[in-house]
Amino acid sequence: MKARERGLGSPPILAGLLAGPVLPAARGLLGLLLVRDDGVTLRSGRIVEVEAYGGPDDGASHARHGRTPRNASMFGPSGHGYVYGVYGMHMCLNVVCGADGVASAVLIRAVEPLTSLDAMREARLVRAIATRRIDRATPARAAARTAELPADRVASGPGNVGAAFSVQRSDDGSDLLDPAGALRLEMSPRVGPAPAVAAGPRIGVGFSGAESAARPWRFWITGSAARSGSR
DNA sequence: CTACCGATCCCCT
DNA sequence: GGGGATCGGTAGA
């Protein structure tokens, strides 16, 4: 029996997928593993929710007004990371897609933790303290809350994926397909039929025109409790 | 349960 | 100087 039955049989095939159009790439990223290897612990999880973003024709994309210092990675080589900060406190991770020079990327919106769940909870607490979102709740209270976070909430939502995997600006432009990279993508060891995928409008893009906001460019694995917005 | 709203900072129609 | 590919605490039904 083949080791993989989900279609992406090998890293070269994954690289080829990411080098192509963003919508198939977004679907193909579902089910893959996101890995943070800090030399001490190996945090990993299954990608269960993503959003596709395009270039100048996509009113919701950071690339809608062309290349800037902030979005330069979107125009770079596929398979690399595009990391940006929003609202002064959240880091979001994208996988760059398309040919070099073409702007497109896939936002990782939710991950199901597989290994080092406690390290992810700890990383969540680090962010909570760093952003000082613990005015009313005392630090001890915040620590207790973080420790009690259900597994399927730890990396649910793009900001929480960033926190749980300690995504930082230095990850911007890094090669996510490098097997030795500190932040990387890996093939899922899971064998079986391809999971059912659902699609819908992207989240938080109301500022873009009606046409862009209506595009069903958000994809998720049906039934995953880690999907954001499904509290 | 839903809905609002403040936090906070980098980057830019 | 304004706004954002978010989050979570709080208020109120």
Side-chain angles (χ1 to χ4, degrees):
Chain A
M1 171 193 266
K2 285 291 204 181
R4 319 280 189 242
E5 296 187 355
R6 295 212 34 254
L8 306 175
S10 70
I13 292 182
L14 172 59
L17 180 82
L18 297 181
V22 71
L23 294 183
R27 288 177 171 273
L29 282 167
L30 290 173
L32 297 193
L33 302 187
L34 178 65
V35 176
R36 166 63 82 183
D37 182 357
D38 60 16
V40 179
T41 60
L42 196 72
R43 280 171 269 175
S44 69
R46 175 176 173 247
I47 297 170
V48 295
E49 183 188 4
V50 298
E51 280 175 357
Y53 287 88
D57 63 310
D58 180 3
S61 172
H62 287 167
R64 63 189 178 279
H65 295 131
R67 186 173 183 146
T68 68
R70 180 202 197 195
N71 66 22
S73 292
M74 280 190 80
F75 293 78
S78 60
H80 286 226
Y82 165 47
V83 173
Y84 65 89
V86 283
Y87 300 106
M89 60 185 79
H90 301 298
M91 302 306 297
C92 297
L93 173 66
N94 296 251
V95 180
V96 175
C97 298
D100 210 349
V102 172
S104 64
V106 176
L107 173 68
I108 308 299
R109 285 196 61 92
V111 173
E112 283 179 0
L114 288 176
T115 65
S116 298
L117 173 61
D118 285 341
M120 295 184 197
R121 291 199 178 101
E122 175 65 22
R124 285 283 306 267
L125 180 59
V126 167
R127 179 194 62 173
I129 292 172
T131 57
R132 293 189 287 174
R133 295 191 121 291
I134 46 180
D135 298 334
R136 308 294 174 106
T138 70
R141 177 76 182 156
R145 272 186 44 84
T146 304
E148 293 166 4
L149 265 179
D152 58 26
R153 295 290 97 196
V154 168
S156 175
N160 289 331
V161 170
F165 285 82
S166 302
V167 174
Q168 38 211 309
R169 292 182 192 285
S170 57
D171 293 311
D172 186 44
S174 68
D175 183 4
L176 302 178
L177 299 184
D178 178 356
L183 185 66
R184 60 182 186 258
L185 295 170
E186 289 186 2
M187 308 302 300
S188 171
R190 172 185 166 131
V191 171
V197 173
R202 295 171 290 185
I203 303 294
V205 297
F207 63 88
S208 63
E211 184 274 325
S212 290
R215 296 183 189 185
W217 282 15
R218 176 192 191 204
F219 304 98
W220 64 92
I221 293 178
T222 305
S224 172
R227 179 167 67 95
S228 61
S230 61
R231 307 194 182 194

